[in-house]
Structure formats: C-alpha cells, structure tokens
DNA sequence: AAGATAGATTAGTTCGGACATCTTTTGCGA
DNA sequence: TCGCAAAAGATGTCCGAACTAATCTATCTT
C-alpha cells in the first residue's frame, strides 16, 4: 500500500506486537481473548483474528482452541523473517544421493569431538559413518557422520535398509518431532584421515556442514557432520523475504 | 484434529494442491477465480480464501488483487518448509561489523569472474571492495565485494556514509524490492591476492559466501562475495519446521 | 498505432453471525 | 476431599455480505 492507509488488521497487529515486544504481554502470558480485543479495538472479531494470524505467522504467539493465545519466545532478532526456498541437502538429501555406511558404533564423546559437535562431553552416542555419493558419480560427495544419543541407538539396527533421512527414523523411534535444525557451515583444510576415503588431495580445502536436530524443548535428537572436498560441493539455498508488516 | 474430520478449507486446499502438483494447474498458470472456486466446491468464499491462504503459505501460489492467483514454482522438494530463525550476516550484518571500503570502481564482468558471480558476461558493474571487521577485533573478518548493476551505480556515491545494508540503499534507489536472496557457500584455498589484506597465511582454507539479491521478477539488484579465512567465521543458522498441513 | 480512460474483473478488507470443538472452570455428589 | 459431569470460556470453522483497491481489458481519441 504505497501511501494509502494501512489495513485495520495490520494496525491492530502492530499494536499487539508492540505490547509483546515491550513486555506488556510477557513471554508465557496469555493475550486478551478475542472478544476482549474486539471490544478494546472496536473492530470485528474477523479483524482481530486476522491480526492474530499475523502474530502467529511471525512466531510471536501460539493459539489453541479453548485455551487462548499464548505469547511465545520470538524466533528472530530482526523484523524480517525469511523462508528457505530450497535447501539442497537438509531434507531428502538422500533422494539423489546414496549413503554407503562404513561404520556403526557407540563412541564416547570427548575432548575435541565434543567441541566440534557442540554436545556434552562424557556421554556415549551412536556414530554412523560413511561416504555419500551423488547418483552416477564415482567421486564421493562427502563423508557423513551421524551422531545419535544413546537412548535412540537402536535405530542403528534399522539404518542399513532405511531409505530417507535418518532423523525421521529417530522421530518415529522417540515419539518426538524435530522442530528446529541448527546448521553451521565452515571451511577447513581437509582432515588427514579423510583424504584417502574421499579420494582428494592433501593440502586442499573442505567444506564442513554440521547440523543439530532438536525438538521443541531443545533436546538433541541427532547431529550430523558432513565433510565435503571443496570442489565437489557448494551449499546453495534461496531465501525469500517474509511478508512485511 | 485427531480422528475427527478434516476442515473443509483443508480439503479444498488439498484438492487444489493435488491439481497443482499433478500439472492440472501448471506453473505460471492462473488458478480459477475465487468466485469460480466457490461454485465448483460449493463452499463459501471465506472457505476458498482460507484454502488459498494455505497454498500461499506453502509457496505454491501467489495472489494479487485484480490479477488472480498464479501458480509459482514450489520452493522445496518436500512438504515441509523451514523458516530461518537466525541468519548471522544476511541482515543487519553491519550492526556489529564495520566495513572499510578500499575501492569503488566500475569493472567489466568477464571470464572467470562472470562464472564465479554467475552474472552475465560483458556488462559493466559497480564493484565496492573492502575489509570487514567485527567490532573490537583487529583481524579482518572477511574481504567483502559488492557488485551492483551499472544502472544503480550511483549508490557508489552514498555508500561511504551509509549505515546499514547496501541492498536497502539500492532498493530505495531503484524503487524495487529485494524479495529473494540466493546464497551459495563454498570452501576454497585462500585467493593469493587476499592473503595479505586478510592477514592470513598461504595454503589455508577460506569460506566463500556469495549472495545474489533479486526482485520478484528475478532481476539482480546486487551480488555480494565474502571471503572469510576459515578460522574466523562459521556460517550459522537455525531453521524451524514450518506449520504442517 | 499508441496512449488515455472507463468499465469490468478479481483479490483484499471488514463486518456480522452461527455453530463446532477443545480447554478450563465450577459445582455437586460420594 | 476427590472425582466426575456439566457449564462456561475461548478459539476454530463456515457462512453471507458489502465495500475497497489493484489489475486487466476494451474502447475511444489523437
């Protein structure tokens, strides 16, 4: 709306957002009911519901029939949110790659590994390691390591014949849902022990992609670490600007 | 709705989605109008609009007042979409970094550079180059290069005293909005000409982050290329699973 | 042939209403 | 005091209507 007045529902949404951000409605509290809001803003319930939908879309509140609308922790540190339009290997990466498992073992998380993986030291986790290939290509795309908490280690029995992302298997197994994936991408020199399996040369660069798959209450269901020779993979994704208020 | 019947609007949304996916409504085509859909499904326009909102939320269509609802390319190859929760340098990167501009010049896009930047060869673009530092740190975070189409090259006059992301300046200048950012991250060995400015060592790895900022109709407003010494930067982002239908 | 204008088309916004469904609260009986 | 059922509260779904605003198309004028 270039120059024209802002729709009412957006005005209401902005005012509510302002109250949330400023702490009038702190995280965990319930917003006023829809009826109360229609009275206060003197607009229709439909307009209020539109405004609340904006807040839900922005991850500020969560509404439940019969319960009300609860303020939840904001998910971003800026006003624009972006939708990922394509992630080339987060999901259904297995769709056009093959994963040749070479080891399945319980390991102790210690020292440097705990740091690299950013998981607690001293625990035992299941580690599944192997080479990943793009279909029809001879050179491996990357070495993939999956780290799975010991309590779900039984998925190790199933992964050999499981098609699809392993984290969905853990979801089934644990009865919990991955709702958040933290991804970190970095560069390094190729680790010595992976030069031969990856058929690459010493003194070359590698792209490291680590992903931590968490539930709603920040429980880690899986950590993956992919090591790509630099010339075999670029991480591409397209982000689209979220609808602006 | 565990076990209970599915809301009408979701049924309608599913049917329309099925038609889009199966090609009955191919990408680029217009869906039937809201009025036609209310007739066909024998439901209210409100129900139709709810269904269309679901399709919009999933990135399958784009609606414009007066124009209709156009089928757009699906953004992901799977049913779940993910919202980016935090991007450490796409937006407000300038918030806690400083950018020391070292060169502003028009250059011809040729050969390898066209390939690296994935922009058309032969054109002239404005290139702004310099070192970026995190606040309070002596070692540069990265070398940043901004490539801007010649038609917006006049922003070069303003960037020296502009705070904030340069692409917002181009938006103001061009009257167009960045709606999509294509990002590609790769690893390489540090380019020779950047070893000294970045105060890093030869034979070390670098993280390359390229972003292409596009409008709705795929016009490129800016391309940025950041070259990070591997030990100074990891690209972190958190993705949250989108609302499931 | 091109540009301007008016009318038609289509989605966006806002209203009011009713009913369904889930959750919470209250009251009553054991 | 506790458990259960009913009532109340609150959001979700669906309907119909009217108006607004952006876009498209057809027609007229130059």
């Amino acid at each position: 709306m270039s120059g024209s007045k802002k729709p009412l529902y957006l005005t209401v949404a902005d005012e509510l957002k302002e109250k949330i951000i400023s702490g009038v409605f702190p995280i965990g509290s319930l917003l006023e009911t829809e009826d109360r809001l229609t009275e206060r803003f003197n607009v229709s319930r439909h307009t209020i519901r539109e405004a609340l939908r904006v807040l839900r879309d922005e991850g500020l509140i969560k509404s439940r029939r019969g319960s009300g609308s609860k303020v939840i922790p904001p998910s971003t540190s800026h006003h624009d949110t972006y939708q990922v339009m394509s992630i080339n290997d987060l999901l259904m990466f297995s769709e056009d790659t093959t994963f040749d498992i070479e080891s399945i073992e319980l390991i102790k998380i210690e020292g440097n590994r705990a740091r690299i993986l950013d998981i607690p030291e001293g625990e035992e986790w299941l580690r599944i390691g192997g080479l990943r290939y793009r279909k029809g290509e001879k050179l491996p795309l990357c070495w993939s390591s999956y780290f799975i908490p010991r309590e779900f280690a039984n998925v190790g029995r199933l992964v050999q014949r499981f098609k699809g992302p392993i984290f969905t298997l853990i979801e089934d197994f644990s009865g919990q849902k991955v709702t958040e994936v933290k991804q970190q991408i970095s560069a390094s020199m190729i680790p010595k022990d992976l030069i031969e399996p990856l058929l690459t040369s010493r003194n070359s660069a590698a792209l490291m992609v680590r992903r931590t798959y968490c539930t709603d209450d920040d429980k880690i269901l899986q950590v993956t670490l992919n090591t790509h020779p630099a010339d075999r993979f670029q991480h591409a994704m397209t982000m689209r600007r979220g609808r602006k208020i």
Side-chain angles (χ1 to χ4, degrees), chain A:
Chain A
M1 45 220 57
S2 47
S4 50
K5 71 186 180 75
K6 175 184 277 188
L8 259 183
Y9 79 93
L10 288 182
T11 301
V12 172
D14 283 347
E15 280 195 43
L16 293 173
K17 190 182 311 173
E18 187 70 25
K19 284 179 154 49
I20 290 170
I21 288 170
S22 69
V24 172
F25 296 120
I27 288 162
S29 70
L30 287 173
L31 284 188
E32 292 166 83
T33 67
E34 289 176 4
D35 281 347
R36 293 293 302 273
L37 291 170
T38 67
E39 287 165 17
R40 186 146 76 74
F41 286 96
N42 197 27
V43 296
S44 76
R45 190 181 161 221
H46 179 282
T47 300
I48 290 301
R49 288 188 59 77
E50 282 293 289
L52 294 179
R53 185 178 52 74
V54 169
L55 301 186
R56 281 199 297 280
D57 284 352
E58 290 185 20
L60 293 174
I61 65 170
K62 175 190 289 184
S63 307
R64 293 259 303 278
R65 174 181 349 215
S67 293
S69 297
K70 178 178 279 194
V71 180
I72 58 178
S75 52
T76 61
S77 59
H78 55 80
H79 295 313
D80 295 87
T81 61
Y82 284 74
Q83 288 175 331
V84 176
M85 293 183 69
S86 68
I87 303 177
N88 53 359
D89 68 348
L90 181 60
L91 291 172
M92 294 309 176
F93 187 67
S94 327
E95 267 190 341
D96 52 11
T97 63
T98 59
F99 183 43
D100 289 358
I101 294 174
E102 296 198 4
S103 65
I104 303 180
E105 60 197 338
L106 277 177
I107 61 164
K108 198 70 162 291
I109 301 297
E110 289 171 316
N112 199 43
R113 177 174 285 141
R115 189 181 59 78
I116 289 176
L117 297 173
D118 199 19
I119 56 182
E121 213 167 339
E123 300 177 2
E124 266 192 332
W125 285 51
L126 182 77
R127 181 181 63 183
I128 303 169
L131 289 167
R132 189 176 292 278
Y133 297 82
R134 279 199 182 96
K135 294 261 176 65
E137 292 194 5
K138 288 182 166 45
L139 291 178
L141 176 67
C142 64
W143 176 276
S144 285
S145 294
Y146 291 75
F147 297 86
I148 297 166
R150 197 191 191 316
E151 58 181 315
F152 314 125
N154 276 345
V155 305
R157 300 172 183 277
L158 306 174
V159 293
Q160 290 280 20
R161 41 185 185 277
F162 181 71
K163 303 291 183 249
I166 293 180
F167 82 87
T168 65
L169 201 56
I170 304 171
E171 282 179 328
D172 293 343
F173 217 86
S174 65
Q176 296 171 87
K177 277 292 182 189
V178 169
T179 58
E180 185 174 297
V181 180
K182 291 162 179 157
Q183 177 176 272
Q184 192 184 68
I185 303 172
S186 56
S188 74
M189 300 299 287
I190 194 86
K192 285 183 172 56
D193 59 328
L194 294 183
I195 293 173
E196 195 202 325
L198 286 171
L199 302 180
T200 187
S201 54
R202 52 191 304 118
N203 283 337
S204 58
L207 195 72
M208 319 288 295
V209 183
R210 183 189 79 197
R211 297 195 184 94
T212 309
Y213 297 70
C214 306
T215 64
D216 246 330
D217 49 5
D218 268 332
K219 182 184 180 65
I220 298 177
L221 294 193
Q222 176 187 269
V223 182
T224 64
L225 189 61
N226 295 330
T227 307
H228 300 261
D231 56 347
R232 277 176 229 167
F233 180 72
Q234 302 94 26
H235 182 279
M237 64 180 240
T238 301
M239 289 161 283
R240 193 166 183 87
R241 214 166 189 167
R243 190 153 56 98
K244 216 146 145 112
I245 298 305

